[in-house]
Amino acid sequence: MSKAREAVREHAALVKEIRQHDRLYYELSQPSISDAEYDALFQRLKEIEAAHPELATPDSPTQRVGGRAAEGFAKSRHLRPMLSLDNAFEEADVIEFDRRIRRFLRLAEDEAIAYTAEPKIDGLSANLLYRRGELAGGATRGDGMVGEDVTQNMRTIADIPRRLQGKDVPELIEIRGEVYMSHAEFERLNAEQEAAGKPVYVNPRNAAAGSLRQLDPAVTAKRKLHFFAYGWGEASAVPAPTQWGMLDLLKRFGLPTNPLGRRVGGVAEAIAFYREIEAGRGRLGYDIDGIVYKVDRLDWQERLGFVSRNPRWAIAHKFRAEQAETELLGIDIQVGRTGALTPVARLKPVFVGGVSVSNATLHNEDEIHRKDIRVGDRVVIQRAGDVIPQVVRVLTDKRPRGAVPFVFPERCPACGSHAVREVNPRTGRADAVRRCTGGLVCPAQAVERLRHFVQRDAFDIEGLGEKQIQALYDWGVVMQPADLFTLAERNRRAHPPLQEREGWGEVSVANLLAAIEARREIGLDRFIHALGIRHVGQATARLLAQNYGSVRHWLASMKAAADHDGEAWSELNAIDGIGEVMAEAIVDFCIEPHNLRAIEALLAQIRVADFEKPATGASKVAGLTVVFTGTLETMTRDEAKARAQALGAKVAGSVSKKTDYVVAGADAGSKLAKAREAGVKVLSEREWLDLIGA
Ligand code: IVH
C-alpha cells in the first residue's frame, strides 16, 4: 500500500474512533478513555493532516473546534442549539432548494422568494451572549449544544464590541458569527511559529481555531483574530421582520457584518451573486468557501423550520476548486511502496483553497508530456477540498527562455535499478506508470517486499508482522531477505541485541529466530513467489517451478530470455498461463543486477529444493509438454490443464519443437495444423485419457 493510501486509512480509522469518543462524552456523558488518551488520538490525527493537508476536510474532528471541551475551558451550554447547513455544489441544487421552499410554502410559480446571500466565512463559528447589551459570554460551537467557554479570549478580539449600541438592543441576545484569520495574519503567525521551532498551521481556519482556544488570553490577543456576525440564537426580541433587516440591525448595534452580503430578489439573482463573489474571492484577503442563501422573510423561516440539524430555509452553495498561478521550481520523482514512480511538482508556495500549497501531483510521465510541463514554467494549480493539489495547465506564453522538456528518469531514484513501463501486447501501448524493477533492494519498496517475503504463502515466517519488519528495517538490521538468515549470527554480536530493544523480549526473539531457521530449506515454487515479482502470484510461481525445475535452471533461462526473441523467450511465453506482460516482468526482474545480487546473497543462506515431480512411473506424462486445443467433451480446457499439471506435465499455450503431444478436441484450428506440420504427435481426447489412465 502506498504511504498516501496508508495515511488515508489510518486517518479514516482515527476519525471514526474520535467520533465514537465524542458521542460517549457528549451525548452519553460516559467517556471510556481519559482526556490524555483522547488528546493522543487527536494529536496523531493532526500529525497526519499536517503531512497530508488534503485530509483536513471540513468534517474532520480537527476542523471543528470544541469538538470536545479542552481541559482548562469550562463547558458552556448554548441557549439555542447551533445548527449547520446543508450544502449545494451545483446550480441545479440551488434551483431545487428554491423549488422545495416554494412547494413547502405553497407559493405560486411566479412568486419570487427574496434571499439574503452572504459569503460563507471559512473560520469557526462562535456564540456571543449579550445581556442588557453587555458581552456576558463567548463560546465555541462544540457539538452544537455545548461548547467551550472562551469568553476571556473573545474579549481580546477587537472586532467584538464589549457593549452593544442603540436603543433597540434586546434584553438578551445570542449573536452567532464566525471567528476567522486573514491571510496576512496567517502568514505572519506561521513565520513566527517556524522561527520558534513550533508546528505551523495548515490553514487560516485551523490557525483561528488554535488561537481562540489558547488557555492564556494574552496569546489569543497577540493573534489578530476577526469576527463577522451573521445571525442570532436565543433573543428576547427580534426587532426586524427579515434576515436582511436583522443584519442591518446587528450592524447598527456595532457588530461587524460582512460588507459583501446582499439581498437578492430570487434564485437567478442569487446565482449571479455567487458567480460574482467566486470570481473575486482570491482578492478578499480571507477565506470564504461558498455563499449562504437564507430566506429573507423571518415568518417564512419560522414556517419552514428544520430537517434534522439543518434549517430548511438556508443552504450553503459551495465554491468549486480554487485555482492559483505559481512557478514550477522542480519535479521530484517519488517511489511508492509498489515501485511506482510518481512525479511530484515542487512549487513556489502559493495560497489556494485555504492552504499554502508547495507540492502538487503530476500523475505520470505521459501527463507531463501531454501538458508539456517544464521546470521554470508558470503553472495554474488547483485544489478542491479533499483532493490533492493538481497542475491544471502551463502558461506557455510566460515560459522562460531555455526551459527544456522534462526527461523522465529511467532509473529508480531510490535504488538506481532500471524502471520500466509495461507494454500492453494488445494495444502496443505503454502503461502510464513507470516502475522500479529493483524490488528486492529498493528502499522505497523494501518493507512491503519483506512483508510479502515472510507471508504465509511465501517463506511463512511467523512473528514478523508489519510493525516488526518496519522496526527491523528502520534499525538497519534487516534490509533485504538474505539478512533474515544472518540475523541470529549478527544478533549475537549486536549492541543492543534485539531482545533488549523496546517491543521485543527474550521469548519473542528466540521464537522468531527459530521460525527463520526452520525455513532454510524451501520449495522452488514458494521461493519464486516470495520474490514478489510483479504479476507473479502463487499459481504463476508454480508454473515456473514446474517448468524449470531448479532455481539455477530457472535463473539461467530467464537470463537467456532477456533477448526477447530466442528459444528461452519462446519457452517462457509458451507456458500456458504466462502472457507476454508477465514474461516481460519476470525477465526484467531477473536481469536487474541489484536483484540478482540479493538473490545470490539469499541463495548463499538457504537451499531451494527442486520442484518435486511426481515419482517416475507414477505418470506417463510427467515432464512432457502438452498443448490442448479445440473443444474437449469430457472436461473443460482448464480442468484438463490442471489435471495434466498435477501429473507432472508442462502445459504450453502454443506448439513448438519442444511439444510432445497436442491434444485436439472438436474444431481444433491452427494449433492442430501446426502440430501436423511440425510432426508433433496429435492425440484425440480419448487417447489422452487412456494415456493418463483416466
Ligand atoms: S448560517 C442555522 N451564515 O457555516 C444556520 N453560517 O455549515 C447557521 N458560516 O456552522 C449558519 N458563514 O460556522 C451561516 N454567513 C453565514 C456563515 C455561516 C460561515 C459557517 C458557520 C456554520 C457553518 C454551516
Side-chain angles (χ1 to χ4, degrees):
M1 202 185 304
S2 72
K3 281 214 175 94
R5 270 175 58 190
E6 198 152 274
V8 169
R9 212 178 46 171
E10 189 185 353
H11 185 269
L14 275 170
V15 167
K16 197 169 154 202
E17 199 176 345
I18 288 172
R19 287 210 181 117
Q20 267 165 2
H21 290 305
D22 282 343
R23 200 177 105 76
L24 287 171
Y25 183 91
Y26 279 118
E27 295 172 32
L28 309 172
S29 293
Q30 277 175 346
S32 66
I33 57 171
S34 70
D35 282 354
E37 284 167 312
Y38 180 91
D39 289 345
L41 292 177
F42 210 88
Q43 189 53 36
R44 176 70 194 137
L45 190 68
K46 284 206 289 202
E47 277 168 26
I48 297 176
E49 289 182 359
H52 304 269
E54 70 279 6
L55 295 176
T57 54
D59 61 345
S60 163
T62 59
Q63 310 300 302
R64 74 182 147 67
V65 158
R68 174 163 178 163
E71 247 178 302
F73 291 115
K75 287 187 190 177
S76 171
R77 182 170 286 277
H78 312 311
L79 300 179
R80 260 191 211 206
M82 293 179 78
L83 301 157
S84 52
L85 293 171
D86 197 8
N87 290 323
F89 295 98
E90 306 293 335
E91 292 180 0
D93 301 337
V94 178
I95 291 166
E96 180 49 34
F97 162 75
D98 183 65
R99 272 207 203 105
R100 240 184 354 250
I101 291 173
R102 197 181 297 288
R103 271 200 303 272
F104 193 94
L105 297 174
R106 294 181 192 285
L107 299 183
E109 278 292 322
D110 53 357
E111 184 162 359
I113 302 174
Y115 296 98
T116 62
E118 311 163 16
K120 186 170 184 298
I121 315 300
D122 198 6
L124 61 135
S125 48
N127 187 30
L128 304 175
L129 178 66
Y130 284 91
R131 284 186 200 275
R132 283 183 292 280
E134 296 284 344
L135 179 63
T140 60
R141 180 176 182 275
D143 67 346
M145 302 291 175
V146 178
E148 293 158 331
D149 182 342
V150 286
T151 310
Q152 296 312 321
N153 293 351
M154 292 286 194
R155 287 186 198 281
T156 70
I157 300 177
D159 290 348
I160 296 179
R162 302 285 185 97
R163 152 164 277 288
L164 300 182
Q165 305 151 15
K167 52 181 173 14
D168 309 334
V169 174
E171 173 74 14
L172 176 149
I173 188 164
E174 282 184 315
I175 297 296
R176 303 280 160 84
E178 200 84 351
V179 172
Y180 68 97
M181 188 180 276
S182 69
H183 291 164
E185 176 64 6
F186 172 76
E187 300 290 1
R188 188 203 64 75
L189 174 61
N190 266 355
E192 187 182 281
Q193 291 282 109
E194 204 157 9
K198 293 186 187 155
V200 295
Y201 291 101
V202 291
N203 57 37
R205 181 185 51 227
N206 282 2
S211 302
L212 189 64
R213 298 174 77 223
Q214 292 290 326
L215 290 178
D216 179 1
V219 177
T220 308
K222 278 194 223 144
R223 320 260 178 102
K224 255 182 90 197
L225 292 173
H226 289 283
F227 181 78
F228 279 129
Y230 55 68
W232 61 97
E234 184 66 34
S236 56
V238 178
T242 59
Q243 177 78 24
W244 188 245
M246 280 300 286
L247 282 177
D248 188 50
L249 209 57
L250 298 186
K251 197 160 65 189
R252 284 199 275 124
F253 290 164
L255 289 158
T257 55
N258 189 284
L260 300 170
R262 192 181 293 172
R263 184 178 183 278
V264 295
V267 69
E269 220 181 297
I271 289 171
F273 176 77
Y274 169 94
R275 292 186 188 156
E276 179 189 325
I277 299 295
E278 183 176 38
R281 71 167 160 141
R283 292 184 293 274
L284 280 181
Y286 55 88
D287 281 337
I288 60 174
D289 59 343
I291 301 292
V292 184
Y293 309 124
K294 300 175 186 169
V295 170
D296 194 35
R297 276 177 60 168
L298 298 185
D299 58 336
W300 281 358
Q301 285 192 5
E302 187 101 8
R303 276 173 64 194
L304 285 157
F306 300 87
V307 227
S308 68
R309 308 185 78 200
N310 303 329
R312 217 179 253 115
W313 44 265
I315 199 160
H317 189 183
K318 303 293 280 275
F319 290 137
R320 268 169 306 215
E322 197 184 333
Q323 299 193 334
E325 183 188 323
T326 187
E327 186 185 333
L328 179 69
L329 300 177
I331 296 177
D332 289 343
I333 306 292
Q334 288 179 352
V335 190
R337 290 180 68 163
T338 57
L341 269 50
T342 308
V344 176
R346 256 193 312 109
L347 306 165
K348 186 162 172 222
V350 60
F351 214 79
V352 52
V355 294
S356 170
V357 170
S358 50
N359 292 311
T361 176
L362 291 169
H363 301 291
N364 55 55
E365 80 188 82
D366 289 344
E367 175 96 352
I368 297 179
H369 293 139
R370 199 154 40 79
K371 292 182 178 164
D372 190 19
I373 298 171
R374 305 182 183 191
V375 173
D377 273 341
R378 298 289 301 174
V379 292
V380 173
I381 64 157
Q382 131 176 335
R383 184 177 173 275
D386 51 356
V387 181
I388 298 168
Q390 296 169 301
V391 172
V392 185
R393 66 196 152 87
V394 171
L395 301 168
T396 31
D397 49 334
K398 296 188 183 170
R399 171 165 285 163
R401 271 203 283 151
V404 291
F406 183 69
V407 183
F408 205 92
E410 294 186 1
R411 291 210 164 258
C412 170
C415 72
S417 298
H418 60 279
V420 299
R421 295 176 68 174
E422 280 170 3
V423 176
N424 182 327
R426 248 175 297 142
T427 60
R429 292 245 303 270
D431 190 66
V433 179
R434 187 176 285 276
R435 279 175 205 280
C436 165
T437 58
L440 288 181
V441 287
C442 182
Q445 302 173 66
V447 171
E448 189 74 6
R449 289 307 174 97
L450 284 166
R451 239 161 61 127
H452 173 82
F453 187 83
V454 303
Q455 63 148 304
R456 186 173 299 174
D457 303 334
F459 268 70
D460 190 20
I461 297 174
E462 258 180 67
L464 278 181
E466 179 172 6
K467 241 169 63 187
Q468 289 80 8
I469 291 179
Q470 186 72 56
L472 291 173
Y473 186 81
D474 291 344
W475 292 330
V477 173
V478 175
M479 310 302 283
Q480 52 169 305
D483 297 341
L484 286 168
F485 295 96
T486 57
L487 183 60
E489 174 63 28
R490 286 181 293 129
N491 198 44
R492 252 172 256 139
R493 288 174 276 117
H495 298 293
L498 273 186
Q499 55 274 25
E500 283 169 26
R501 295 196 192 225
E502 205 191 311
W504 301 69
E506 293 284 350
V507 178
S508 61
V509 172
N511 286 346
L512 172 62
L513 295 177
I516 294 172
E517 216 45 46
R519 297 288 181 264
R520 268 193 206 272
E521 178 155 348
I522 190 165
L524 179 60
D525 50 341
R526 271 176 184 269
F527 175 82
I528 294 175
H529 180 221
L531 297 178
I533 303 169
R534 190 163 157 74
H535 300 307
V536 178
Q538 243 178 316
T540 309
R542 200 180 148 82
L543 288 177
L544 290 168
Q546 193 168 25
N547 199 81
Y548 294 100
S550 77
V551 67
R552 287 293 165 204
H553 180 51
W554 173 59
L555 287 173
S557 305
M558 297 306 98
K559 189 173 167 198
D563 59 3
H564 286 69
D565 105 87
E567 218 171 285
W569 175 249
S570 311
E571 184 184 353
L572 177 61
N573 279 275
I575 300 174
D576 203 356
I578 293 189
E580 208 175 307
V581 172
M582 243 185 229
E584 179 96 42
I586 298 165
V587 170
D588 279 341
F589 182 95
C590 293
I591 60 169
E592 169 53 51
H594 295 90
N595 289 338
L596 282 177
R597 253 180 302 201
I599 291 175
E600 287 305 333
L602 185 58
L603 291 176
Q605 298 297 327
I606 63 170
R607 201 183 85 77
V608 180
D610 290 353
F611 189 78
E612 260 181 60
K613 298 190 186 101
T616 23
S619 149
K620 286 187 190 145
V621 296
L624 301 184
T625 301
V626 189
V627 173
F628 291 94
T629 180
T631 314
L632 303 179
E633 265 170 31
T634 60
M635 59 186 113
T636 64
R637 200 141 17 124
D638 283 341
E639 228 178 312
K641 283 183 209 166
R643 251 164 108 177
Q645 282 165 348
L647 291 169
K650 301 175 199 170
V651 179
S654 57
V655 179
S656 74
K657 279 191 291 184
K658 293 199 168 179
T659 312
D660 294 293
Y661 293 117
V662 168
V663 181
D667 305 322
S670 64
K671 288 183 195 170
L672 179 57
K674 189 158 179 208
R676 297 230 162 92
E677 201 177 296
V680 173
K681 188 156 176 54
V682 177
L683 301 178
S684 69
E685 185 176 351
R686 187 68 256 162
E687 287 169 319
W688 166 252
L689 291 174
D690 287 344
L691 182 67
I692 63 173

